[in-house]
Amino acid sequence: MKLSQARFMIAIAMSCLVAVASQTNAQFGGGGFGNNVGGVSIDPTGVVRSATVQEKQELVNLLRDQVTAPVGDLTAAADLRMVSLSGLQQAIEQSIATGDLLPAEIRYMAGLTGIQYVLLDEQNNDLILAGPAEPWTLSETGSVVGTETGAAILQLEDLVVALRNVENSRAQGISCSIEPTAEGRQRLNAFLGRMKLRPGQNPSALEAGMKQAFGPQMIKLNGIPATSRYACILVAADYQMKRLAMAIEDSPVKGLPSYLQLARNTSHAGSMNPRWWMECEYDSLTRNEEGTVWKLTGQGIRTMTEQDAIAADGTATSAGKSDKLAEKWATSMTERFEQLAKEMPVFGDLQNLMDLTVASTLIVQEQLENRSGLELVVLRDQEMLEMPTLDAPQTIAPECSFIKGRSGWVVTASGGVSINAFQIVHDQQVDTSLTNQVAASRSSTWWWNK
C-alpha cells in the first residue's frame, strides 16, 4: 500500500524551542544562556533545536541570579501603574553611571503586564505608559511573570527595540514566518510516492526519511533585528502556535484541541495546506479630544488562517480561501488567547510586544517627543544603552505528527506573526469620556500607582 493511500494524517511541523544563547551585556546581563523567550536554543549557525533538561535547569539557575525579587511598594499589584519615560531614562542613566547591571525594577518596567494608556504630560515634559502591574518572579521555564496571574512582564529590552525600529517597520511592518522550502516539499512528495506500507503499519516508521526529505524550514524576519530578544519572541510564539495546531504540544487550555484533532476522520486535498498566523488587532485605540490621552482596548492579537495552494514544483501561493476546520481552530485560539498566555508565557510576551510596538509607533506618528519636550535619547542611543545580542534564528528542523484520517494527508504548517502598528494608530478614534488625570496622581518617583 502506498503511503499516500494510508489512513493517516501526516503533519509536518517544527522541532522544539527551548533556551536562547546570548552575549554578555553589561547592562542587561546574559552570557551563556541569556534571556528566556519562550524556550529557544539557537546555535551560532542559526539552527533552532531542543535544549536538554540540563540546559533548561542551567538557564533557570542563571536567570535566578539576575531576576531579583521586587522590593517596597513593587511587592503589591496595581490595577493601574504609571511609568514615566522621563524618570525611567534618568534611572537608567544613574544605573549606567555605576557600571552595574540595570536593576530588575528597570529591566521589568516596574512590573507592568501590559499597556492600556499612553499619556502626554506637557506640564512635566513627560510621556507616560500605564497599565496593570504585578510583582514579578521567575517561572520554572525561565519566563519572568507576575506572581498573581502568571501574566508575562513587560521588558525594557523590548521597548527599546520597538522604539528604535519604528521607521524600519514603516514600509512593511514587523513580521516573522517559518516556511517550508519548495525543494523540501518536492522531495517529500517524491519520498511519499516511493514508499509503501504493510497492512497495519504505522507511517511513523518512516518518520526519519520524511524529515530528511522535507529538510529544514526557513525563518524570515522583517522590521526588527534578527539578533534581538524581540525577534526570538516572534519565532518562539509562531513555533508554539504550530506545535499546538499540529498536536505536537498538548494544549494547556481546556476547549483548545489541536487542528489535527478537529480534522480527525476528515478528508483533505494534498495540494491544499492550511496556514496560520497571528496579527496585531485591538478592539480600539481611542484618544481624548485634546490628544493627550490614548487608550488601548482588547487583547491585541487575533489568530488568522487561509489555505495555501501547493504547485507541482513545491511552491506555495494563497488560494484565497480558508479551510473551515482551520478557521475553527484559529477562532478557538483567539477566544482563549488570554488564558493561553498565562499558561504559555511566550504568548504573553507576544502580547506585550504588540502593546510596546503600538505605543512606540504612536509616539513617533503623533510626534509626542516634540509635543512633550522630552527627547528619548537614552532609549534611542545604541552606544548609551546597548542591547544584548542573540544568535539570529534561521532554520528549524521538521517534526512529524500522525493521526488517523479518511485519506492520506500531508499537511505543512507555515504561517507567522504580523505586526502592523501603523494601521492601529491610523484607525484611532476620539473618545470624549477620556480625561488626563496624570498631574493629580503624579509621584516624585519614576513610577507610581493611580
Side-chain angles (χ1 to χ4, degrees):
M1 178 173 59
K2 288 187 177 181
L3 187 59
S4 59
Q5 297 173 335
R7 295 170 56 84
F8 287 90
M9 177 189 303
I10 305 170
I12 307 296
M14 284 65 60
S15 67
C16 185
L17 303 174
V18 198
V20 175
S22 73
Q23 296 178 2
T24 300
N25 181 277
Q27 291 143 0
F28 287 89
F33 290 88
N35 292 307
N36 180 282
V37 291
V40 184
S41 177
I42 307 169
D43 73 16
T45 65
V47 177
V48 177
R49 66 168 179 83
S50 175
T52 65
V53 173
Q54 181 180 352
E55 287 173 332
K56 294 179 187 179
Q57 188 59 54
E58 288 176 349
L59 171 64
V60 173
N61 291 341
L62 175 63
L63 290 176
R64 190 175 288 121
D65 294 334
Q66 298 180 5
V67 184
T68 55
V71 297
D73 292 340
L74 289 174
T75 59
D79 292 333
L80 191 64
R81 180 164 294 163
M82 309 284 190
V83 170
S84 159
L85 294 187
S86 173
L88 177 61
Q89 288 199 136
Q90 291 175 16
I92 292 171
E93 285 185 291
Q94 292 170 3
S95 179
I96 290 175
T98 67
D100 295 330
L101 183 72
L102 289 175
E105 66 182 65
I106 293 178
R107 284 182 284 129
Y108 306 127
M109 297 186 64
L112 289 181
T113 59
I115 297 176
Q116 292 181 346
Y117 296 93
V118 178
L119 305 124
L120 169 63
D121 184 3
E122 295 173 296
Q123 181 178 349
N124 294 286
N125 301 114
D126 204 357
L127 295 172
I128 296 165
L129 305 180
E134 297 180 34
W136 58 84
T137 188
L138 185 65
S139 74
E140 293 180 356
T141 60
S143 296
V144 181
V145 298
T147 59
E148 296 201 1
T149 67
I153 301 292
L154 267 69
Q155 299 203 22
L156 173 66
E157 187 176 344
D158 299 328
L159 169 62
V160 171
V161 172
L163 187 64
R164 291 178 182 176
N165 290 278
V166 170
E167 293 300 335
N168 291 339
S169 66
R170 185 178 292 277
Q172 56 186 349
I174 295 171
S175 64
C176 158
S177 64
I178 302 173
E179 304 283 351
T181 65
E183 296 79 9
R185 290 192 183 99
Q186 281 187 305
R187 289 193 302 267
L188 179 62
N189 288 336
F191 176 84
L192 296 177
R194 295 193 303 269
M195 294 300 103
K196 293 183 179 181
L197 286 177
R198 298 186 300 274
Q201 183 183 8
N202 191 316
S204 61
L206 304 175
E207 182 174 342
M210 293 169 61
K211 289 180 179 180
Q212 183 177 6
F214 199 52
Q217 299 193 67
M218 310 307 294
I219 297 171
K220 299 178 182 179
L221 288 157
N222 291 307
I224 37 90
T227 56
S228 64
R229 178 182 185 274
Y230 189 126
C232 290
I233 290 172
L234 297 185
V235 172
D238 185 18
Y239 160 75
Q240 293 288 26
M241 174 181 64
K242 293 174 174 64
R243 280 177 64 88
L244 291 171
M246 295 291 102
I248 295 171
E249 179 85 13
D250 290 335
S251 171
V253 175
K254 185 177 181 181
L256 181 61
S258 69
Y259 168 73
L260 265 65
Q261 288 173 304
L262 294 177
R264 189 189 300 271
N265 295 323
T266 62
S267 59
H268 178 82
S271 61
M272 301 291 287
N273 294 310
R275 168 192 294 269
W276 293 279
W277 72 96
M278 292 171 284
E279 67 178 24
C280 186
E281 182 174 288
Y282 291 84
D283 294 340
S284 64
L285 172 63
T286 55
R287 64 173 174 84
N288 65 351
E289 291 183 297
E290 297 79 16
T292 58
V293 181
W294 285 263
K295 181 179 182 180
L296 269 174
T297 304
Q299 69 182 17
I301 293 178
R302 180 183 179 188
T303 305
M304 307 290 289
T305 185
E306 68 178 7
Q307 291 280 79
D308 276 349
I310 310 302
D313 64 359
T315 57
T317 58
S318 172
K321 59 183 179 180
S322 60
D323 173 76
K324 290 183 178 180
L325 291 176
E327 281 185 353
K328 183 177 180 179
W329 189 84
T331 299
S332 181
M333 183 174 178
T334 299
E335 291 174 345
R336 292 162 177 81
F337 199 92
E338 291 285 353
Q339 184 180 355
L340 185 63
K342 303 292 175 60
E343 299 293 334
M344 301 179 70
V346 67
F347 292 113
D349 281 326
L350 182 62
Q351 284 183 300
N352 290 346
L353 291 188
M354 301 291 188
D355 286 2
L356 291 168
T357 304
V358 171
S360 297
T361 304
L362 180 67
I363 288 171
V364 172
Q365 287 293 87
E366 297 291 331
Q367 300 182 343
L368 297 187
E369 287 175 86
N370 290 337
R371 291 181 59 192
S372 67
L374 171 67
E375 294 186 18
L376 299 176
V377 176
V378 177
L379 298 180
R380 293 185 182 279
D381 192 330
Q382 173 66 25
E383 293 185 2
M384 186 177 298
L385 187 60
E386 182 183 0
M387 291 295 98
T389 302
L390 313 180
D391 291 317
Q394 298 181 40
T395 61
I396 294 180
E399 189 170 2
C400 302
S401 180
F402 305 92
I403 292 182
K404 288 184 178 180
R406 279 202 318 234
S407 60
W409 285 19
V410 179
V411 181
T412 59
S414 57
V417 180
S418 175
I419 306 176
N420 187 353
F422 287 94
Q423 189 64 48
I424 302 296
V425 172
H426 177 271
D427 293 341
Q428 63 181 281
Q429 301 292 323
V430 173
D431 181 354
T432 57
S433 68
L434 284 178
T435 59
N436 194 342
Q437 300 179 358
V438 176
S441 62
R442 191 178 180 94
S443 168
S444 59
T445 61
W446 63 270
W447 64 267
W448 63 95
N449 298 333
K450 186 174 183 299

